[in-house]
Amino acid sequence: METRKAMDGQAVVVMTLLCLVWSLQQVGIKAVAHDMAPVLQIALRSGLAAMLVILLMLARRENLGPARAAWRPGLLAGSLFALEYLLLGAGLQYTSAAHAVVFLYTGPLFVALGLHFRLASERLAPPQWAGVALAFTGIVVAFVPGAAPAGAPADPRGLLGDLLCLAAGAAWGATTLVVRCSRLAQVPVTQVVLYQLTAGCVLLLGAAAMLGQLAFAATPLVIGNLVFQSLVVSFASLLAWFHLLRRYLASRLGIFSFLTPLFGVLLAPCCWTNTYRRLFSSARRWCWPASCWSVQAVR
């Protein structure tokens, strides 16, 4: 029986913190990309976070029976998770962190569309669709080359990076649909996260090896970023996200995560002195009201 509910105050607070953390992951990956390839960063953080999840499961003495019964959707979700970050890692080599966080978080659009047709409880009301449409318009404004300010350099490689990050958003949306609409919906949260992290580590390490991206410089910034990405992004935030998916409607959580691009656009200039703020000023004018509209609609 469907027991998930609309967002309450606790969910709003947790989702706001998650959006802040998720916006920082692209900034952190980009900051050390010259010392460690993004694909290798994500592979290593997934492996380290998977070990933390295993330790947590052992401490809780969890039964692995439910995970074994759901191995097919678990493998699919893990593969999509790896594909998402493979595309993101490749995209970050060509585009900025601010662009990446905006296009990656088109994922909620795909989630909202998919769940609308799969689950009656997840269908959005017209005001909520209006908020989604407004946010999507903001993404289009940022994506169309003509939306950039006059004099901004056109970079075909940057456009490729944007497309790769957009594809990563689609993969992230597909992962959420698999988790929400399969046996994984009844599997303990830790085991769902473990499926994704393990597959992500194995597949992305293989991709890094094939791409010749296994070399890295173990600088203090690289090590500190890897600790943050492993402990906070891949371990704590994923556990919190899937815990929320068990209690609240996924479509409502998804549209709230439109705050992530806003945080990403605001935080990225703190790390690089470039034209992010000017390039995305028009997109912010759309993303902010869309996020507020969505938040009001889900209450």
PDB file of all heavy atoms in Angstrom, residues 142-181:
ATOM      1  N   ALA A 142      19.654  28.916 -20.394  1.00  0.00           N
ATOM      2  CA  ALA A 142      21.083  28.759 -20.158  1.00  0.00           C
ATOM      3  C   ALA A 142      21.752  27.944 -21.252  1.00  0.00           C
ATOM      4  O   ALA A 142      22.923  28.156 -21.568  1.00  0.00           O
ATOM      5  CB  ALA A 142      21.304  28.076 -18.808  1.00  0.00           C
ATOM      6  N   PHE A 143      20.990  26.993 -21.823  1.00  0.00           N
ATOM      7  CA  PHE A 143      21.592  26.053 -22.766  1.00  0.00           C
ATOM      8  C   PHE A 143      21.742  26.639 -24.160  1.00  0.00           C
ATOM      9  O   PHE A 143      22.732  26.370 -24.839  1.00  0.00           O
ATOM     10  CB  PHE A 143      20.721  24.796 -22.840  1.00  0.00           C
ATOM     11  CG  PHE A 143      21.317  23.693 -23.668  1.00  0.00           C
ATOM     12  CD1 PHE A 143      22.455  23.046 -23.249  1.00  0.00           C
ATOM     13  CD2 PHE A 143      20.716  23.301 -24.852  1.00  0.00           C
ATOM     14  CE1 PHE A 143      23.001  22.020 -24.006  1.00  0.00           C
ATOM     15  CE2 PHE A 143      21.259  22.280 -25.616  1.00  0.00           C
ATOM     16  CZ  PHE A 143      22.400  21.632 -25.183  1.00  0.00           C
ATOM     17  N   VAL A 144      20.770  27.446 -24.625  1.00  0.00           N
ATOM     18  CA  VAL A 144      20.811  27.986 -25.977  1.00  0.00           C
ATOM     19  C   VAL A 144      21.992  28.942 -26.091  1.00  0.00           C
ATOM     20  O   VAL A 144      22.125  29.863 -25.290  1.00  0.00           O
ATOM     21  CB  VAL A 144      19.507  28.726 -26.312  1.00  0.00           C
ATOM     22  CG1 VAL A 144      19.600  29.395 -27.679  1.00  0.00           C
ATOM     23  CG2 VAL A 144      18.340  27.736 -26.290  1.00  0.00           C
ATOM     24  N   PRO A 145      22.913  28.749 -27.061  1.00  0.00           N
ATOM     25  CA  PRO A 145      24.085  29.620 -27.165  1.00  0.00           C
ATOM     26  C   PRO A 145      23.728  31.092 -27.254  1.00  0.00           C
ATOM     27  O   PRO A 145      24.426  31.946 -26.720  1.00  0.00           O
ATOM     28  CB  PRO A 145      24.771  29.134 -28.450  1.00  0.00           C
ATOM     29  CG  PRO A 145      24.328  27.712 -28.606  1.00  0.00           C
ATOM     30  CD  PRO A 145      22.934  27.658 -28.050  1.00  0.00           C
ATOM     31  N   GLY A 146      22.623  31.422 -27.915  1.00  0.00           N
ATOM     32  CA  GLY A 146      22.252  32.822 -28.056  1.00  0.00           C
ATOM     33  C   GLY A 146      21.843  33.480 -26.753  1.00  0.00           C
ATOM     34  O   GLY A 146      21.695  34.694 -26.695  1.00  0.00           O
ATOM     35  N   ALA A 147      21.625  32.672 -25.697  1.00  0.00           N
ATOM     36  CA  ALA A 147      21.227  33.250 -24.419  1.00  0.00           C
ATOM     37  C   ALA A 147      22.406  33.821 -23.652  1.00  0.00           C
ATOM     38  O   ALA A 147      22.220  34.517 -22.676  1.00  0.00           O
ATOM     39  CB  ALA A 147      20.530  32.189 -23.550  1.00  0.00           C
ATOM     40  N   ALA A 148      23.633  33.498 -24.074  1.00  0.00           N
ATOM     41  CA  ALA A 148      24.802  34.020 -23.391  1.00  0.00           C
ATOM     42  C   ALA A 148      24.942  35.504 -23.679  1.00  0.00           C
ATOM     43  O   ALA A 148      24.517  35.987 -24.721  1.00  0.00           O
ATOM     44  CB  ALA A 148      26.052  33.278 -23.849  1.00  0.00           C
ATOM     45  N   PRO A 149      25.558  36.264 -22.778  1.00  0.00           N
ATOM     46  CA  PRO A 149      25.712  37.688 -22.983  1.00  0.00           C
ATOM     47  C   PRO A 149      26.539  37.983 -24.223  1.00  0.00           C
ATOM     48  O   PRO A 149      27.362  37.183 -24.644  1.00  0.00           O
ATOM     49  CB  PRO A 149      26.432  38.167 -21.700  1.00  0.00           C
ATOM     50  CG  PRO A 149      26.158  37.093 -20.689  1.00  0.00           C
ATOM     51  CD  PRO A 149      26.049  35.830 -21.460  1.00  0.00           C
ATOM     52  N   ALA A 150      26.336  39.174 -24.783  1.00  0.00           N
ATOM     53  CA  ALA A 150      27.089  39.561 -25.965  1.00  0.00           C
ATOM     54  C   ALA A 150      28.576  39.588 -25.650  1.00  0.00           C
ATOM     55  O   ALA A 150      28.995  40.072 -24.602  1.00  0.00           O
ATOM     56  CB  ALA A 150      26.625  40.951 -26.428  1.00  0.00           C
ATOM     57  N   GLY A 151      29.381  39.067 -26.549  1.00  0.00           N
ATOM     58  CA  GLY A 151      30.819  39.037 -26.362  1.00  0.00           C
ATOM     59  C   GLY A 151      31.331  37.791 -25.690  1.00  0.00           C
ATOM     60  O   GLY A 151      32.541  37.571 -25.591  1.00  0.00           O
ATOM     61  N   ALA A 152      30.417  36.928 -25.163  1.00  0.00           N
ATOM     62  CA  ALA A 152      30.863  35.687 -24.532  1.00  0.00           C
ATOM     63  C   ALA A 152      31.393  34.742 -25.601  1.00  0.00           C
ATOM     64  O   ALA A 152      30.768  34.557 -26.638  1.00  0.00           O
ATOM     65  CB  ALA A 152      29.701  35.032 -23.776  1.00  0.00           C
ATOM     66  N   PRO A 153      32.552  34.113 -25.359  1.00  0.00           N
ATOM     67  CA  PRO A 153      33.140  33.244 -26.371  1.00  0.00           C
ATOM     68  C   PRO A 153      32.334  31.971 -26.579  1.00  0.00           C
ATOM     69  O   PRO A 153      31.847  31.376 -25.620  1.00  0.00           O
ATOM     70  CB  PRO A 153      34.533  32.918 -25.786  1.00  0.00           C
ATOM     71  CG  PRO A 153      34.364  33.100 -24.317  1.00  0.00           C
ATOM     72  CD  PRO A 153      33.364  34.205 -24.152  1.00  0.00           C
ATOM     73  N   ALA A 154      32.138  31.597 -27.818  1.00  0.00           N
ATOM     74  CA  ALA A 154      31.437  30.342 -28.131  1.00  0.00           C
ATOM     75  C   ALA A 154      32.455  29.218 -28.181  1.00  0.00           C
ATOM     76  O   ALA A 154      33.455  29.299 -28.880  1.00  0.00           O
ATOM     77  CB  ALA A 154      30.732  30.470 -29.479  1.00  0.00           C
ATOM     78  N   ASP A 155      32.224  28.169 -27.434  1.00  0.00           N
ATOM     79  CA  ASP A 155      33.168  27.055 -27.347  1.00  0.00           C
ATOM     80  C   ASP A 155      32.422  25.767 -27.665  1.00  0.00           C
ATOM     81  O   ASP A 155      31.614  25.306 -26.855  1.00  0.00           O
ATOM     82  CB  ASP A 155      33.777  26.992 -25.947  1.00  0.00           C
ATOM     83  CG  ASP A 155      34.850  25.915 -25.833  1.00  0.00           C
ATOM     84  OD1 ASP A 155      35.115  25.239 -26.843  1.00  0.00           O
ATOM     85  OD2 ASP A 155      35.419  25.766 -24.736  1.00  0.00           O
ATOM     86  N   PRO A 156      32.670  25.156 -28.826  1.00  0.00           N
ATOM     87  CA  PRO A 156      31.989  23.907 -29.171  1.00  0.00           C
ATOM     88  C   PRO A 156      32.257  22.806 -28.145  1.00  0.00           C
ATOM     89  O   PRO A 156      31.391  21.971 -27.887  1.00  0.00           O
ATOM     90  CB  PRO A 156      32.572  23.557 -30.548  1.00  0.00           C
ATOM     91  CG  PRO A 156      33.072  24.856 -31.094  1.00  0.00           C
ATOM     92  CD  PRO A 156      33.537  25.645 -29.917  1.00  0.00           C
ATOM     93  N   ARG A 157      33.453  22.789 -27.559  1.00  0.00           N
ATOM     94  CA  ARG A 157      33.756  21.787 -26.536  1.00  0.00           C
ATOM     95  C   ARG A 157      32.881  22.001 -25.302  1.00  0.00           C
ATOM     96  O   ARG A 157      32.458  21.043 -24.659  1.00  0.00           O
ATOM     97  CB  ARG A 157      35.238  21.867 -26.166  1.00  0.00           C
ATOM     98  CG  ARG A 157      36.171  21.323 -27.232  1.00  0.00           C
ATOM     99  CD  ARG A 157      37.601  21.781 -26.992  1.00  0.00           C
ATOM    100  NE  ARG A 157      38.060  21.437 -25.659  1.00  0.00           N
ATOM    101  CZ  ARG A 157      38.666  20.300 -25.355  1.00  0.00           C
ATOM    102  NH1 ARG A 157      38.866  19.389 -26.307  1.00  0.00           N
ATOM    103  NH2 ARG A 157      39.078  20.055 -24.138  1.00  0.00           N
ATOM    104  N   GLY A 158      32.609  23.269 -24.987  1.00  0.00           N
ATOM    105  CA  GLY A 158      31.716  23.531 -23.869  1.00  0.00           C
ATOM    106  C   GLY A 158      30.307  23.040 -24.137  1.00  0.00           C
ATOM    107  O   GLY A 158      29.637  22.529 -23.238  1.00  0.00           O
ATOM    108  N   LEU A 159      29.850  23.170 -25.379  1.00  0.00           N
ATOM    109  CA  LEU A 159      28.536  22.667 -25.749  1.00  0.00           C
ATOM    110  C   LEU A 159      28.477  21.150 -25.611  1.00  0.00           C
ATOM    111  O   LEU A 159      27.485  20.592 -25.127  1.00  0.00           O
ATOM    112  CB  LEU A 159      28.204  23.087 -27.178  1.00  0.00           C
ATOM    113  CG  LEU A 159      26.831  22.674 -27.706  1.00  0.00           C
ATOM    114  CD1 LEU A 159      25.723  23.279 -26.867  1.00  0.00           C
ATOM    115  CD2 LEU A 159      26.681  23.076 -29.171  1.00  0.00           C
ATOM    116  N   LEU A 160      29.563  20.464 -26.009  1.00  0.00           N
ATOM    117  CA  LEU A 160      29.638  19.009 -25.833  1.00  0.00           C
ATOM    118  C   LEU A 160      29.556  18.651 -24.357  1.00  0.00           C
ATOM    119  O   LEU A 160      28.850  17.709 -23.968  1.00  0.00           O
ATOM    120  CB  LEU A 160      30.929  18.482 -26.446  1.00  0.00           C
ATOM    121  CG  LEU A 160      31.241  16.991 -26.195  1.00  0.00           C
ATOM    122  CD1 LEU A 160      30.146  16.103 -26.775  1.00  0.00           C
ATOM    123  CD2 LEU A 160      32.607  16.627 -26.759  1.00  0.00           C
ATOM    124  N   GLY A 161      30.292  19.397 -23.515  1.00  0.00           N
ATOM    125  CA  GLY A 161      30.238  19.142 -22.081  1.00  0.00           C
ATOM    126  C   GLY A 161      28.849  19.327 -21.518  1.00  0.00           C
ATOM    127  O   GLY A 161      28.392  18.539 -20.673  1.00  0.00           O
ATOM    128  N   ASP A 162      28.144  20.367 -21.991  1.00  0.00           N
ATOM    129  CA  ASP A 162      26.773  20.593 -21.538  1.00  0.00           C
ATOM    130  C   ASP A 162      25.860  19.424 -21.920  1.00  0.00           C
ATOM    131  O   ASP A 162      25.031  18.977 -21.126  1.00  0.00           O
ATOM    132  CB  ASP A 162      26.228  21.883 -22.151  1.00  0.00           C
ATOM    133  CG  ASP A 162      26.928  23.126 -21.614  1.00  0.00           C
ATOM    134  OD1 ASP A 162      27.599  23.027 -20.564  1.00  0.00           O
ATOM    135  OD2 ASP A 162      26.810  24.190 -22.253  1.00  0.00           O
ATOM    136  N   LEU A 163      26.006  18.932 -23.141  1.00  0.00           N
ATOM    137  CA  LEU A 163      25.186  17.799 -23.595  1.00  0.00           C
ATOM    138  C   LEU A 163      25.473  16.543 -22.774  1.00  0.00           C
ATOM    139  O   LEU A 163      24.553  15.785 -22.439  1.00  0.00           O
ATOM    140  CB  LEU A 163      25.435  17.541 -25.083  1.00  0.00           C
ATOM    141  CG  LEU A 163      24.851  18.572 -26.049  1.00  0.00           C
ATOM    142  CD1 LEU A 163      25.347  18.320 -27.466  1.00  0.00           C
ATOM    143  CD2 LEU A 163      23.326  18.539 -26.012  1.00  0.00           C
ATOM    144  N   LEU A 164      26.740  16.309 -22.451  1.00  0.00           N
ATOM    145  CA  LEU A 164      27.097  15.145 -21.640  1.00  0.00           C
ATOM    146  C   LEU A 164      26.479  15.245 -20.242  1.00  0.00           C
ATOM    147  O   LEU A 164      25.972  14.256 -19.702  1.00  0.00           O
ATOM    148  CB  LEU A 164      28.620  15.018 -21.540  1.00  0.00           C
ATOM    149  CG  LEU A 164      29.338  14.575 -22.819  1.00  0.00           C
ATOM    150  CD1 LEU A 164      30.850  14.737 -22.659  1.00  0.00           C
ATOM    151  CD2 LEU A 164      28.992  13.125 -23.160  1.00  0.00           C
ATOM    152  N   CYS A 165      26.490  16.445 -19.668  1.00  0.00           N
ATOM    153  CA  CYS A 165      25.887  16.636 -18.350  1.00  0.00           C
ATOM    154  C   CYS A 165      24.368  16.504 -18.412  1.00  0.00           C
ATOM    155  O   CYS A 165      23.742  16.017 -17.467  1.00  0.00           O
ATOM    156  CB  CYS A 165      26.298  17.990 -17.779  1.00  0.00           C
ATOM    157  SG  CYS A 165      28.055  18.117 -17.383  1.00  0.00           S
ATOM    158  N   LEU A 166      23.774  16.930 -19.519  1.00  0.00           N
ATOM    159  CA  LEU A 166      22.340  16.753 -19.707  1.00  0.00           C
ATOM    160  C   LEU A 166      21.989  15.261 -19.781  1.00  0.00           C
ATOM    161  O   LEU A 166      20.999  14.813 -19.192  1.00  0.00           O
ATOM    162  CB  LEU A 166      21.889  17.472 -20.974  1.00  0.00           C
ATOM    163  CG  LEU A 166      20.388  17.458 -21.287  1.00  0.00           C
ATOM    164  CD1 LEU A 166      19.616  18.193 -20.208  1.00  0.00           C
ATOM    165  CD2 LEU A 166      20.123  18.093 -22.648  1.00  0.00           C
ATOM    166  N   ALA A 167      22.813  14.491 -20.500  1.00  0.00           N
ATOM    167  CA  ALA A 167      22.614  13.042 -20.568  1.00  0.00           C
ATOM    168  C   ALA A 167      22.791  12.411 -19.191  1.00  0.00           C
ATOM    169  O   ALA A 167      22.092  11.452 -18.830  1.00  0.00           O
ATOM    170  CB  ALA A 167      23.583  12.429 -21.572  1.00  0.00           C
ATOM    171  N   ALA A 168      23.720  12.942 -18.399  1.00  0.00           N
ATOM    172  CA  ALA A 168      23.899  12.454 -17.035  1.00  0.00           C
ATOM    173  C   ALA A 168      22.641  12.701 -16.204  1.00  0.00           C
ATOM    174  O   ALA A 168      22.245  11.860 -15.388  1.00  0.00           O
ATOM    175  CB  ALA A 168      25.109  13.130 -16.388  1.00  0.00           C
ATOM    176  N   GLY A 169      21.992  13.840 -16.427  1.00  0.00           N
ATOM    177  CA  GLY A 169      20.734  14.114 -15.741  1.00  0.00           C
ATOM    178  C   GLY A 169      19.655  13.107 -16.101  1.00  0.00           C
ATOM    179  O   GLY A 169      18.890  12.662 -15.240  1.00  0.00           O
ATOM    180  N   ALA A 170      19.603  12.727 -17.380  1.00  0.00           N
ATOM    181  CA  ALA A 170      18.634  11.713 -17.811  1.00  0.00           C
ATOM    182  C   ALA A 170      18.926  10.369 -17.143  1.00  0.00           C
ATOM    183  O   ALA A 170      17.999   9.655 -16.727  1.00  0.00           O
ATOM    184  CB  ALA A 170      18.661  11.575 -19.330  1.00  0.00           C
ATOM    185  N   ALA A 171      20.203  10.012 -17.023  1.00  0.00           N
ATOM    186  CA  ALA A 171      20.580   8.752 -16.373  1.00  0.00           C
ATOM    187  C   ALA A 171      20.210   8.783 -14.891  1.00  0.00           C
ATOM    188  O   ALA A 171      19.754   7.775 -14.337  1.00  0.00           O
ATOM    189  CB  ALA A 171      22.076   8.501 -16.552  1.00  0.00           C
ATOM    190  N   TRP A 172      20.404   9.945 -14.256  1.00  0.00           N
ATOM    191  CA  TRP A 172      20.028  10.071 -12.849  1.00  0.00           C
ATOM    192  C   TRP A 172      18.517   9.919 -12.678  1.00  0.00           C
ATOM    193  O   TRP A 172      18.046   9.253 -11.749  1.00  0.00           O
ATOM    194  CB  TRP A 172      20.487  11.423 -12.316  1.00  0.00           C
ATOM    195  CG  TRP A 172      20.082  11.666 -10.902  1.00  0.00           C
ATOM    196  CD1 TRP A 172      20.427  10.949  -9.800  1.00  0.00           C
ATOM    197  CD2 TRP A 172      19.228  12.714 -10.434  1.00  0.00           C
ATOM    198  NE1 TRP A 172      19.848  11.487  -8.673  1.00  0.00           N
ATOM    199  CE2 TRP A 172      19.121  12.572  -9.034  1.00  0.00           C
ATOM    200  CE3 TRP A 172      18.567  13.773 -11.067  1.00  0.00           C
ATOM    201  CZ2 TRP A 172      18.355  13.447  -8.257  1.00  0.00           C
ATOM    202  CZ3 TRP A 172      17.809  14.640 -10.285  1.00  0.00           C
ATOM    203  CH2 TRP A 172      17.715  14.468  -8.904  1.00  0.00           C
ATOM    204  N   GLY A 173      17.753  10.516 -13.577  1.00  0.00           N
ATOM    205  CA  GLY A 173      16.305  10.357 -13.523  1.00  0.00           C
ATOM    206  C   GLY A 173      15.885   8.916 -13.706  1.00  0.00           C
ATOM    207  O   GLY A 173      14.998   8.421 -13.001  1.00  0.00           O
ATOM    208  N   ALA A 174      16.544   8.209 -14.638  1.00  0.00           N
ATOM    209  CA  ALA A 174      16.222   6.803 -14.876  1.00  0.00           C
ATOM    210  C   ALA A 174      16.553   5.954 -13.648  1.00  0.00           C
ATOM    211  O   ALA A 174      15.821   5.005 -13.314  1.00  0.00           O
ATOM    212  CB  ALA A 174      16.996   6.297 -16.091  1.00  0.00           C
ATOM    213  N   THR A 175      17.641   6.288 -12.959  1.00  0.00           N
ATOM    214  CA  THR A 175      18.005   5.552 -11.738  1.00  0.00           C
ATOM    215  C   THR A 175      16.918   5.684 -10.685  1.00  0.00           C
ATOM    216  O   THR A 175      16.515   4.696 -10.058  1.00  0.00           O
ATOM    217  CB  THR A 175      19.330   6.090 -11.175  1.00  0.00           C
ATOM    218  OG1 THR A 175      20.353   5.989 -12.164  1.00  0.00           O
ATOM    219  CG2 THR A 175      19.757   5.285  -9.954  1.00  0.00           C
ATOM    220  N   THR A 176      16.424   6.900 -10.484  1.00  0.00           N
ATOM    221  CA  THR A 176      15.361   7.124  -9.499  1.00  0.00           C
ATOM    222  C   THR A 176      14.094   6.361  -9.871  1.00  0.00           C
ATOM    223  O   THR A 176      13.414   5.791  -9.003  1.00  0.00           O
ATOM    224  CB  THR A 176      15.052   8.627  -9.389  1.00  0.00           C
ATOM    225  OG1 THR A 176      16.244   9.335  -9.033  1.00  0.00           O
ATOM    226  CG2 THR A 176      13.992   8.887  -8.335  1.00  0.00           C
ATOM    227  N   LEU A 177      13.768   6.309 -11.155  1.00  0.00           N
ATOM    228  CA  LEU A 177      12.586   5.571 -11.602  1.00  0.00           C
ATOM    229  C   LEU A 177      12.727   4.084 -11.316  1.00  0.00           C
ATOM    230  O   LEU A 177      11.771   3.430 -10.878  1.00  0.00           O
ATOM    231  CB  LEU A 177      12.361   5.805 -13.100  1.00  0.00           C
ATOM    232  CG  LEU A 177      11.877   7.196 -13.498  1.00  0.00           C
ATOM    233  CD1 LEU A 177      11.854   7.341 -15.019  1.00  0.00           C
ATOM    234  CD2 LEU A 177      10.498   7.479 -12.925  1.00  0.00           C
ATOM    235  N   VAL A 178      13.908   3.532 -11.566  1.00  0.00           N
ATOM    236  CA  VAL A 178      14.133   2.108 -11.300  1.00  0.00           C
ATOM    237  C   VAL A 178      13.978   1.815  -9.815  1.00  0.00           C
ATOM    238  O   VAL A 178      13.322   0.849  -9.409  1.00  0.00           O
ATOM    239  CB  VAL A 178      15.535   1.673 -11.796  1.00  0.00           C
ATOM    240  CG1 VAL A 178      15.859   0.267 -11.310  1.00  0.00           C
ATOM    241  CG2 VAL A 178      15.595   1.736 -13.316  1.00  0.00           C
ATOM    242  N   VAL A 179      14.573   2.654  -8.965  1.00  0.00           N
ATOM    243  CA  VAL A 179      14.492   2.445  -7.518  1.00  0.00           C
ATOM    244  C   VAL A 179      13.057   2.576  -7.029  1.00  0.00           C
ATOM    245  O   VAL A 179      12.601   1.802  -6.178  1.00  0.00           O
ATOM    246  CB  VAL A 179      15.413   3.447  -6.796  1.00  0.00           C
ATOM    247  CG1 VAL A 179      15.207   3.381  -5.285  1.00  0.00           C
ATOM    248  CG2 VAL A 179      16.878   3.173  -7.141  1.00  0.00           C
ATOM    249  N   ARG A 180      12.341   3.535  -7.584  1.00  0.00           N
ATOM    250  CA  ARG A 180      10.978   3.805  -7.101  1.00  0.00           C
ATOM    251  C   ARG A 180       9.968   2.783  -7.608  1.00  0.00           C
ATOM    252  O   ARG A 180       8.983   2.495  -6.914  1.00  0.00           O
ATOM    253  CB  ARG A 180      10.574   5.217  -7.557  1.00  0.00           C
ATOM    254  CG  ARG A 180       9.215   5.675  -7.085  1.00  0.00           C
ATOM    255  CD  ARG A 180       9.162   5.872  -5.592  1.00  0.00           C
ATOM    256  NE  ARG A 180       7.835   6.338  -5.176  1.00  0.00           N
ATOM    257  CZ  ARG A 180       6.804   5.531  -4.939  1.00  0.00           C
ATOM    258  NH1 ARG A 180       6.943   4.223  -5.061  1.00  0.00           N
ATOM    259  NH2 ARG A 180       5.639   6.027  -4.563  1.00  0.00           N
ATOM    260  N   CYS A 181      10.178   2.215  -8.769  1.00  0.00           N
ATOM    261  CA  CYS A 181       9.155   1.388  -9.416  1.00  0.00           C
ATOM    262  C   CYS A 181       9.512  -0.095  -9.478  1.00  0.00           C
ATOM    263  O   CYS A 181       8.872  -0.846 -10.227  1.00  0.00           O
ATOM    264  CB  CYS A 181       8.890   1.906 -10.838  1.00  0.00           C
ATOM    265  SG  CYS A 181       8.345   3.622 -10.907  1.00  0.00           S
TER     266      CYS A 181
END
